């Protein structure tokens, strides 16, 4: 995978220019051949990514979720990823058995309003149906508290590492990546759905994540990245809060290019592609590779 990433970067250098998110919006030279690389969650292997990109003089923006530093805990979204990686298609069945064994009903985990609102998420993903349903329950239907206890219990039963230092960059590593010239942006505190939060909770999430990173890095944090990313993950409250709190732009997930109109009128809903779409976006790269 590292070799593929290096190969893709080398190809992009022949056809495009690179920038960070915030720098690209502050310049009048934004063009169709500009590529913005973004990395979410502050994962441990992003240190290697940053050093590789630095060696090629390619800028990028890294979005950090701060709960692992504030609360010394692994995010629920990554606990669910770890469980699905371990169990594969058995993840949902294991969840149901765990709940039955511990006298927990799914209705106790699931918020009915969230279930109705988010029942179609992951439909376009390539995972097995059981994995998609597991992720819906945990990442979208599940409310905090009981959900987190269940995830911790399953990880303990399966002897899956549950230490944030095994998952995420250290604070010193975040500082180091920033010192290499990369932009650091906020990915919120909890990596929970902003659209599922009330106004007060959203505001605290957006402020606390920005404040933590600014205190750590001694610099202004201008860019925000929505957890989960699609339009259902945020709402009008979010769009009003971001500029009020002092963010200058935000990255969503909407599979299309950023346009001059986006920069002018929707700087808090900038679209981006998923890295898995690289081959679709650059078919010439595949033909050259083959």
């Amino acid at each position: 995978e590292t070799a593929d990433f290096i190969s893709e970067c080398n190809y992009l250098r022949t056809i495009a220019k690179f920038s960070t998110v915030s720098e690209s919006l502050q310049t009048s030279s934004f063009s169709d051949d500009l590529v913005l690389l973004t990395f979410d969650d502050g994962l441990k292997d992003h240190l290697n990514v940053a050093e590789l990109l630095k060696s090629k003089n390619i800028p990028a923006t890294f979005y950090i979720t701060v709960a692992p530093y504030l609360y010394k805990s692994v995010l629920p979204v990554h606990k669910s990823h770890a469980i699905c990686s371990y169990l594969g298609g058995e993840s949902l069945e294991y969840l149901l058995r765990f709940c039955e064994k511990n006298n927990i009903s799914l209705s106790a985990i699931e918020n009915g309003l969230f279930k109705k609102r988010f029942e179609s998420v992951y439909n376009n993903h390539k995972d097995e149906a059981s994995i998609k349903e597991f992720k819906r329950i945990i990442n979208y239907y599940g409310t905090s508290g009981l959900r987190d206890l269940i995830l911790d219990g399953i990880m303990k039963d399966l002897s899956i590492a549950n230490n944030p230092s095994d998952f995420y960059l250290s604070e010193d590593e975040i500082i180091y990546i920033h010192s290499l010239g990369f932009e650091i942006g906020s990915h919120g505190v909890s990596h929970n759905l902003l659209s599922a939060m009330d106004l007060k909770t959203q505001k605290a999430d957006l402020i606390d994540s920005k404040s933590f990173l600014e205190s750590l890095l001694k610099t202004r944090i201008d860019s925000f990245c929505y957890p989960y990313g699609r339009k259902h993950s945020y709402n009008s409250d979010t769009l009003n809060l971001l500029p009020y709190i002092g963010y200058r732009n935000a990255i969503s997930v909407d599979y299309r290019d950023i346009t001059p109109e986006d920069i002018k009128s929707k700087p808090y809903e900038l679209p981006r592609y998923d890295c898995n779409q690289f081959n679709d976006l650059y078919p010439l790269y595949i033909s050259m590779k083959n």
Side-chain angles (χ1 to χ4, degrees):
E1 292 183 359
T2 300
D4 287 340
F5 179 63
I6 293 172
S7 178
E8 290 166 358
C9 287
N10 288 339
Y11 172 73
L12 287 174
R13 289 179 70 186
T14 68
I15 64 169
K17 299 180 296 184
F18 293 90
S19 181
T20 65
V21 172
S22 294
E23 285 180 352
S24 73
L25 304 186
Q26 294 172 5
T27 177
S28 60
S29 60
F30 190 91
S31 60
D32 291 340
D33 64 346
L34 192 63
V35 171
L36 311 179
L37 296 181
T38 60
F39 301 86
D40 298 354
D41 299 341
L43 300 174
K44 196 73 177 175
D45 63 355
H46 288 175
L47 177 61
N48 295 330
V49 171
E51 291 182 331
L52 189 156
L53 292 175
K54 180 64 176 179
S55 71
K56 296 180 176 297
N57 198 31
I58 296 176
T61 301
F62 291 82
Y63 290 101
I64 308 296
T65 313
V66 306
Y69 312 102
L70 293 176
Y71 309 124
K72 312 304 178 187
S73 62
V74 177
L75 297 167
V77 65
H78 295 133
K79 293 177 185 177
S80 71
H81 287 174
I83 291 168
C84 287
S85 177
Y86 188 96
L87 293 174
E90 301 297 317
S91 301
L92 179 61
E93 182 180 346
Y94 197 100
L95 171 64
L96 298 177
R97 288 204 308 268
F98 182 91
C99 289
E100 182 179 5
K101 177 183 176 182
N102 292 278
N103 297 313
I104 300 170
S105 67
L106 275 185
S107 60
I109 308 171
E110 297 174 344
N111 180 309
L113 177 62
F114 295 171
K115 186 172 183 178
K116 183 176 181 181
R117 187 189 307 175
F118 302 121
E119 61 185 355
S120 64
V121 298
Y122 298 124
N123 279 353
N124 295 328
H125 285 210
K126 297 179 181 179
D127 291 329
E128 296 178 38
S130 59
I131 293 178
K132 289 190 281 191
E133 184 61 15
F134 177 92
K135 289 182 177 180
R136 288 188 194 102
I137 292 171
I138 297 302
N139 296 333
Y140 284 85
Y141 305 162
T143 54
S144 60
L146 181 57
R147 173 199 64 179
D148 302 325
L149 289 174
I150 291 170
L151 290 173
D152 288 339
I154 292 175
M155 293 180 75
K156 183 178 180 180
D157 284 354
L158 299 175
S159 298
I160 298 174
N162 197 6
N163 189 326
S165 64
D166 293 326
F167 285 77
Y168 309 109
L169 297 165
S170 69
E171 292 182 26
D172 285 343
E173 287 168 338
I174 296 173
I175 294 170
Y176 170 65
I177 289 174
H178 182 253
S179 75
L180 294 179
F182 295 102
E183 179 180 23
I184 302 296
S186 167
H187 201 30
V189 171
S190 62
H191 204 289
N192 286 324
L193 286 164
L194 292 166
S195 60
M197 300 178 189
D198 60 31
L199 179 64
K200 181 179 180 181
T201 307
Q202 274 202 59
K203 185 177 181 181
D205 195 284
L206 296 172
I207 289 176
D208 292 349
S209 57
K210 191 175 195 292
S211 298
F212 173 85
L213 292 170
E214 289 183 339
S215 177
L216 178 68
L217 299 173
K218 313 302 181 189
T219 191
R220 179 187 175 104
I221 300 297
D222 287 331
S223 193
F224 184 80
C225 176
Y226 300 107
Y228 301 103
R230 304 305 292 268
K231 286 186 178 295
H232 61 246
S233 68
Y234 58 93
N235 56 24
S236 59
D237 285 340
T238 324
L239 295 174
N240 289 329
L241 283 168
L242 285 167
Y244 173 78
I245 290 168
Y247 292 100
R248 296 185 176 182
N249 61 74
I251 292 287
S252 179
V253 175
D254 185 6
Y255 302 144
R256 62 180 181 83
D257 293 349
I258 298 173
T259 67
E261 185 60 29
D262 291 321
I263 297 171
K264 179 181 178 182
S265 303
K266 293 186 176 182
Y268 297 96
E269 293 185 276
L270 298 173
R272 64 174 173 172
Y273 295 99
D274 187 282
C275 61
N276 294 314
Q277 296 174 285
F278 188 91
N279 292 347
D280 296 327
L281 291 170
Y282 300 103
L284 182 59
Y285 165 75
I286 301 302
S287 64
M288 291 173 59
K289 187 177 180 181
N290 294 333

